[in-house]
Amino acid sequence: MNRRLLRSIPTGIQALLLAVLALLAAVAASASPAQPDVASDAVKDPRSLAAEYMARRAGRPPVLVGAGDIALCDHGQGAYAEATAKLLEAEPDALVFTTGDNTYQDGTWEQFANCYARSWGRQGIKARTLPAPGNHDYGSSRKPHEASAYFRYFGAAAANADTAGKGYYSLDLGSWHIVSLNSDIEMRLARDGALSPEARTALAAEVARQRAWLAADLAAARRRETKCILGIWHHPRYTNALRGDNDTMAGLWKLMSAAGADLLITGHEHIYENFAPRNAGGVPDPEGMREFVVGTGGAGGGYAFAAGAFHFGVLKLRLEPAGYAWEFLPVAGDNMRDQGSANCNRKRGA
């Protein structure tokens, strides 16, 4: 306040005005939390993270918890991602997974640093996260369609040493082999009619590299006599959402099925679904692969089959030596419940 103006005001009113100004300043400070330090958690590559985690488990089964379609901070919607982040903080002994669309709308550095970082990027969460990319991480409208901010933000956690910048990787957790894949490149190749001939050729080569890498990775896992296999990627193969099934994902689904994979976790649709095991052709089969759609990390809207299908929460998986147990953990006030357990499939040698 201007000092000359302040001296012209009676002493008692001066004191009242100063008290009001102090109160307003305190309220503003409490309503504007400090910017998160996006470099505060040192991230490790997935295999190192998994090895250190299993050493701490001391024989206890590993636990995963996570979801996709997470941080949308427009119009106050960031509160939903903050609510699901609290569920992660309540599971400090679990590794965190994401199924893509980590931040909205265009996966920019600002959106990662100022939106995702306020919830799932908080200290104690980011350092134990196994991320996967989604279409919004590549930018829903940005040209060129690329995910540099995603790879910069997650750093070493987003790849193995031989897949840097590709968006796919693998790791072992106890008797489980886990592959995290890049479904966005598959979807863009199939559906982006604006690709130039040169861009289409390059993208087709990248899709072929991922599939070849996956086939070799799964074959190596079977040679090690891996008992259970879990896949994580963004776009669901099967869903009851309004957009329907994604035939484009059939290639990756069949590669996983041929290896005897047990579980697939996806997102993209902002709903929760649990599909009983199906075989390579999509036919119900107890020796097939179960798929979870867990697009419930915090971003609302989308193409759910009914308004009542919108839920926010995370999927918790306990990975036993020859089976698994699952539980959907909803945010406070949500009554969504799903839990169960199953054995892993019989694996054939490579």
Side-chain angles (χ1 to χ4, degrees):
M1 180 177 289
N2 184 280
R3 291 183 178 180
R4 182 176 299 174
L5 177 61
L6 184 63
R7 285 195 298 269
S8 68
I9 299 174
T11 303
I13 296 178
Q14 285 183 31
L16 178 61
L17 286 173
L18 291 173
V20 169
L21 290 172
L23 177 61
L24 290 173
V27 169
S30 64
S32 302
Q35 290 288 327
D37 181 0
V38 297
S40 59
D41 276 346
V43 296
K44 297 180 174 65
D45 69 90
R47 291 174 182 169
S48 296
L49 176 62
E52 292 180 12
Y53 174 76
M54 291 307 299
R56 295 196 302 272
R57 297 299 287 172
R60 293 174 295 155
V63 177
L64 292 177
V65 62
D69 306 273
I70 300 166
L72 173 61
C73 288
D74 296 340
H75 311 297
Q77 293 189 71
Y80 300 122
E82 292 178 11
T84 56
K86 290 180 180 178
L87 299 174
L88 304 180
E89 291 172 333
E91 301 286 341
D93 294 330
L95 290 181
V96 174
F97 68 86
T98 82
T99 64
D101 281 4
N102 298 280
T103 193
Y104 288 77
Q105 291 285 339
D106 285 304
T108 65
W109 176 254
E110 290 73 22
Q111 288 162 358
F112 273 105
N114 298 326
C115 184
Y116 183 92
R118 294 181 180 276
S119 53
W120 286 45
R122 293 202 289 253
Q123 288 189 0
I125 300 177
K126 183 183 177 185
R128 55 188 172 109
T129 295
L130 299 167
N135 51 291
H136 282 279
D137 299 307
Y138 274 84
S140 60
S141 61
R142 186 173 63 251
K143 299 295 181 183
H145 195 70
E146 52 80 30
S148 59
Y150 166 85
F151 291 111
R152 175 186 171 193
Y153 182 79
F154 286 111
N160 295 141
D162 60 339
T163 62
K166 304 299 184 184
Y168 51 90
Y169 58 86
S170 69
L171 62 136
D172 292 320
L173 278 179
S175 62
W176 284 76
H177 185 65
I178 299 173
V179 292
S180 182
L181 302 176
N182 187 342
S183 66
D184 190 65
I185 58 175
E186 301 262 352
M187 295 295 288
R188 276 192 292 132
L189 181 61
R191 299 188 178 184
D192 190 347
L195 287 172
S196 68
E198 296 79 11
R200 183 169 298 279
T201 298
L203 189 57
E206 188 56 44
V207 166
R209 278 192 291 269
Q210 175 172 245
R211 293 190 185 189
W213 174 91
L214 175 61
D217 182 83
L218 293 174
R222 297 202 308 277
R223 288 194 295 271
R224 296 194 301 270
E225 299 185 350
T226 294
K227 290 185 172 62
C228 308
I229 297 174
L230 162 66
I232 301 172
W233 67 66
H234 184 58
H235 298 86
R237 172 64 182 95
Y238 298 103
T239 176
N240 289 315
L242 293 178
R243 288 183 288 202
D245 299 340
N246 285 309
D247 293 341
T248 301
M249 303 315 301
L252 294 181
W253 176 276
K254 289 177 180 178
L255 285 170
M256 296 285 290
S257 294
D262 304 277
L263 285 174
L264 171 64
I265 312 175
T266 63
H268 192 56
E269 307 297 349
H270 299 181
I271 55 178
Y272 175 80
E273 296 181 285
N274 174 0
F275 290 98
R278 306 188 194 202
N279 63 22
V283 178
D285 182 345
E287 287 294 311
M289 184 164 51
R290 181 183 300 276
E291 181 187 13
F292 291 98
V293 180
V294 196
T296 56
Y303 291 84
F305 38 81
F310 292 116
H311 298 277
F312 296 113
V314 296
L315 178 65
K316 180 180 178 180
L317 291 172
R318 188 175 71 250
L319 303 180
E320 302 286 356
Y324 58 94
W326 73 87
E327 181 181 6
F328 182 78
L329 305 176
V331 298
D334 193 321
N335 61 3
M336 176 68 181
R337 292 291 186 277
D338 181 41
Q339 61 184 40
S341 62
N343 295 324
C344 292
N345 302 324
R346 295 186 298 273
K347 303 292 185 292
R348 298 185 297 274

